[in-house]
Amino acid sequence: MDPTRRFWTAASAGALLAGLGALFARPELIVGAAGVGALILARQYAFLRALQRFDDDLTVTVATPERHVRRDERSEVTLSVDLAAGTPLPATVTASLPVTAGAVDPAERTVRLAPGDDSGATTFAVEWPVVGRASAPAPTVAVTDAFGLFRESFRRGPETTIQVEPRQPRNVHVGEGGDAASATFGGHRSDRYGEGIDPAELRQYAPGDSISDIDWKATARLAYPHVREYEVETDRRTVLVVDHRGRLAAGPDGETKFDYLREVALTVASAAERATDPLGLYTVGDDGLTTELRPSTAGQRYQDVRTRLHDLAPTGGAGRPHTSARGAMGARRAAAVLADDDSAFARTLRPYLDERAGYVRRMDDDPLFETTRTYLDRLGGGHWVLLFTDDSDRTRLRETIRLARANDNNVVCFLAPSVLFESGGLSDLDDAYDRYADFESFRRDLAGMDRVTAYEVGPGERLSALLADGRRERRGQRQ
Amino acid sequence: MTASADSAPPDTASVASESGDRVPFPAPVVSAMATWLAVVGVVVGHLGLLVASPDGIGLVALVLVEGTLLVALVGVELGLAERPPAAVGALAVAWVGLVGATVAATTVWSGWPVALGAACCLALLSYALHRVELVTLGLVEDVDERE
């Protein structure tokens, strides 16, 4: 119970009377001071009783439609206050916010109750700019006594916890026809015996074996010539060809086609590093090749590939449906305008106009196809070419894959099905299922090619929802 | 009755809570003028006694004056208090107890000891009510931590 300025003024008046009474030896003034004290004490007691009744009747609830939100999303919070009987005191109930939440005007998140009110509610929107677990303390109830001599604040109601998740792909699905693929990358066994370092097995000498392969210690121990075989080591030269043209920006922020493909590419890069496979990276923007890192096992190469993948973003292009970011051409035009300008304004802006995805080589034709034709051919044969793109231009993609598997290369194609990333793509589930079936047919067609494997990459939940509806539909048709 | 943000009077003050949030306190129902009516009445009434009787008044007259003031204050409380019977009861008990004890004390002791004694009694009673409120609302630990 906090005294207010009115309280201290009243108490000072009483103290003045008491002081004067003592000073001038007038007992009636001291009695008057006691009267002022009695008045204050009676009002304090009345406030206490009213506060007890108010607290007994009070119910505070905080409702949020969802407990999980994405970073920078806004969620609505409803604060409701109910009293079994009308409130005896004027009161406010203010919803508390976690430190990590965006600012909301206290007036918007406060319910005000005048004496006699028995309920109140307010709804406000909160933005969540910080990823993590955000806990909001219970709402704060503030009351003032009828005469304004005392006030009190305390917390009532539930604590609220919101999980703020980053905008990045979740539940990345890599598989075939809706079934998740088992790990394709990592330490790869050849299942062939021959030259190598790791011992595989000991077998009896057979005509045709080289004498140098005889394990003399085993031969002495077993009294018959034995040959020790080693597991043949493989050296999988891996080339990542990552498409980051504008059309791969389709999908919600942080969960675009490109974001999903990048997650897979990063996983492959890590697996290649663990297996010390030579790793290269070619990235393709709308106007041509943007990165050329030839396969290498140099320690820095793996880091370079990962850094470059993290830095990549879909380039501006015709296929970029919802991004306003400046493309390389636009950046250069703007930079050219500012090039001769030596003002402070131009100097400040210039670094922002340096397009990070500068092109290694511009191409007029389909840049993915051109990159495959021009650069992969130079690498020679026996590579594992991992292609990350979508299914928008199927004819050109098929040609690109045919070209990539030349020179005895193996091709693994990771495709982001467009149907899983379109805004409102799943609003008509039947149509979406048909389009997914069409994609699956295309993927199988690719996977049927010699030395080609094709996987779909996308959000697991969306794909599961789509397939579940398709199965339901088929069951319905059978019945 | 249902409250809303727009129907209430503007807040008079806001203070920072433990979490650093600004807590808007509601305005008191009774106006400042009405609040001071009773206090000023008591103060002016007793100062008036000095003017009316420069040589002091007797015990019986003092009791009569205090009784009259109590009746006047009860009238004010009946007009302003949210629950008049409880407020009047509390006022009557506090007035009779404190004022009666002070009048009795002035017959035995001189000015300063009585004034200090009355102040101490008031402070103790007020603090006792404060602690009862903390216990009732479950705020004892919070307040002790702050202190």
Side-chain angles (χ1 to χ4, degrees):
Chain A
M1 195 181 294
D2 301 321
T4 64
R5 204 161 52 186
R6 286 190 190 184
F7 167 87
W8 289 116
T9 312
S12 301
L16 180 69
L17 275 184
L20 288 173
L23 197 61
F24 299 115
R26 295 301 295 260
E28 55 269 42
L29 291 184
I30 298 173
V31 172
V36 173
L39 191 62
I40 294 173
L41 210 58
R43 286 180 177 173
Q44 186 180 1
Y45 177 76
F47 178 54
L48 171 63
R49 294 297 305 274
L51 199 53
Q52 286 171 333
R53 283 203 312 280
F54 173 79
D55 190 39
D56 289 344
D57 292 346
L58 182 68
T59 307
V60 180
T61 52
V62 180
T64 50
E66 60 265 310
R67 297 280 177 192
H68 291 79
V69 294
R70 293 301 183 86
R71 183 174 57 80
D72 291 334
E73 247 179 26
R74 291 176 79 82
S75 65
E76 285 205 333
V77 179
T78 301
L79 169 68
S80 305
V81 183
D82 289 292
L83 288 123
T87 170
L89 297 165
T92 61
V93 183
T94 306
S96 308
L97 292 177
V99 180
T100 53
V104 179
D105 184 1
E108 282 182 44
R109 49 189 171 91
T110 298
V111 174
R112 298 161 202 279
L113 299 164
D117 289 349
D118 56 12
S119 66
T122 182
T123 301
F124 55 94
V126 186
E127 193 173 327
W128 303 98
V130 179
V131 171
R133 193 178 167 84
S135 290
T140 304
V141 181
V143 286
T144 304
D145 90 306
F147 293 94
L149 295 174
F150 304 95
R151 65 189 180 195
E152 182 57 281
S153 67
F154 50 92
R155 293 194 179 280
R156 287 293 179 269
E159 288 187 4
T160 317
T161 303
I162 298 274
Q163 187 69 37
V164 186
E165 291 169 351
R167 285 182 179 274
Q168 66 180 38
R170 291 182 302 177
N171 192 8
V172 180
H173 165 85
V174 180
E176 298 168 297
D179 299 324
S182 54
T184 328
F185 295 91
H188 20 261
R189 294 173 64 89
S190 66
D191 292 332
R192 285 184 296 165
Y193 299 136
E195 297 295 324
I197 295 173
D198 295 333
E201 66 173 23
L202 199 64
R203 65 169 174 79
Q204 286 193 348
Y205 176 82
D209 286 338
S210 167
I211 290 179
S212 63
D213 290 340
I214 293 175
D215 184 330
W216 294 107
K217 286 183 181 173
T219 300
R221 198 167 60 245
L222 299 169
Y224 192 85
H226 274 73
V227 174
R228 183 170 294 280
E229 290 195 317
Y230 296 86
E231 183 145 1
V232 172
E233 287 190 339
T234 60
D235 190 16
R236 189 170 284 178
R237 280 170 290 175
T238 307
V239 179
L240 310 181
V241 180
V242 179
D243 183 358
H244 66 112
R245 285 176 285 180
R247 66 190 192 204
L248 288 162
D253 258 1
E255 294 171 61
T256 60
K257 287 178 184 176
F258 179 73
D259 291 320
Y260 276 88
L261 291 171
R262 172 166 48 196
E263 288 293 312
V264 180
L266 284 166
T267 308
V268 171
S270 298
E273 185 177 12
R274 279 198 300 276
T276 59
D277 287 337
L279 182 67
L281 172 70
Y282 293 86
T283 63
V284 179
D286 279 282
D287 294 333
L289 185 69
T290 52
T291 306
E292 182 190 10
L293 295 173
R294 295 169 70 88
S296 164
T297 51
Q300 188 59 30
R301 172 51 48 87
Y302 302 107
Q303 185 61 40
D304 289 345
V305 168
R306 276 200 299 272
T307 304
R308 184 68 189 127
L309 284 171
H310 280 297
D311 284 347
L312 275 185
T315 52
R320 193 169 198 184
H322 68 280
T323 178
S324 60
R326 181 189 298 278
M329 290 293 286
R332 288 193 181 173
R333 269 198 300 274
V337 170
L338 293 174
D340 301 328
D341 189 347
D342 200 33
S343 67
F345 176 72
R347 280 201 305 276
T348 306
L349 281 187
R350 203 168 292 127
Y352 297 102
L353 296 168
D354 290 341
E355 178 59 43
R356 297 195 74 178
Y359 285 92
V360 175
R361 183 184 163 190
R362 293 185 176 278
M363 296 163 180
D364 294 330
D365 198 2
D366 182 86
L368 190 63
F369 180 83
E370 286 293 312
T371 298
T372 309
R373 188 166 66 88
T374 311
Y375 289 89
L376 293 190
D377 193 48
R378 290 181 193 165
L379 296 176
H383 285 79
W384 282 78
V385 178
L386 276 66
L387 192 58
F388 299 84
T389 186
D390 69 348
D391 64 335
S392 300
D393 188 351
R394 295 180 181 181
T395 312
R396 295 297 273 175
L397 179 60
R398 193 179 279 112
E399 288 174 22
T400 305
I401 290 172
R402 280 205 186 102
L403 201 62
R405 68 185 180 137
N407 292 332
D408 209 25
N409 286 338
N410 289 283
V411 178
V412 182
C413 186
F414 293 94
L415 293 174
S418 297
V419 65
L420 295 181
F421 292 91
E422 288 167 359
S423 57
L426 298 188
S427 54
D428 182 352
L429 276 171
D430 293 344
D431 178 57
Y433 184 77
D434 289 344
R435 291 172 60 202
Y436 176 73
D438 185 43
F439 164 81
E440 175 58 14
S441 163
F442 172 65
R443 188 198 63 75
R444 283 185 187 179
D445 186 28
L446 294 181
M449 294 163 75
D450 192 27
R451 283 178 283 109
V452 175
T453 312
Y455 295 109
E456 66 206 353
V457 176
E461 300 99 339
R462 279 198 142 202
L463 185 57
S464 302
L466 187 64
L467 293 175
D469 183 75
R471 286 190 203 105
R472 219 173 15 249
E473 185 73 20
R474 282 204 301 278
R475 270 202 302 274
Q477 282 171 357
R478 275 203 298 272
Q479 286 165 3
Chain B
M1 277 173 80
T2 302
S4 74
D6 301 326
S7 64
D11 301 320
T12 50
S14 68
V15 294
S17 70
E18 303 133 61
S19 63
D21 221 2
R22 303 297 296 184
V23 179
F25 279 96
V29 178
V30 177
S31 68
M33 182 72 81
T35 303
W36 298 124
L37 188 64
V39 177
V40 171
V42 174
V43 173
V44 170
H46 285 86
L47 287 174
L49 286 178
L50 288 182
V51 181
S53 174
D55 299 328
I57 60 171
L59 184 62
V60 178
L62 183 60
V63 170
L64 280 174
V65 168
E66 297 303 327
T68 310
L69 269 174
L70 176 59
V71 172
L73 289 175
V74 164
V76 172
E77 292 296 304
L78 284 172
L80 296 177
E82 178 263 330
R83 273 194 154 189
V88 167
L91 176 63
V93 170
W95 189 273
V96 171
L98 279 168
V99 171
T102 309
V103 169
T106 54
T107 60
V108 180
W109 293 289
S110 60
W112 282 114
V114 176
L116 289 175
C120 288
C121 278
L122 276 168
L124 278 175
L125 286 169
S126 183
Y127 184 70
L129 287 176
H130 170 66
R131 295 301 295 188
V132 168
E133 182 242 18
L134 293 183
V135 172
T136 308
L137 298 180
L139 300 175
V140 176
E141 283 182 14
D142 293 347
V143 171
D144 287 351
E145 273 176 22
R146 261 186 286 168
E147 288 168 356

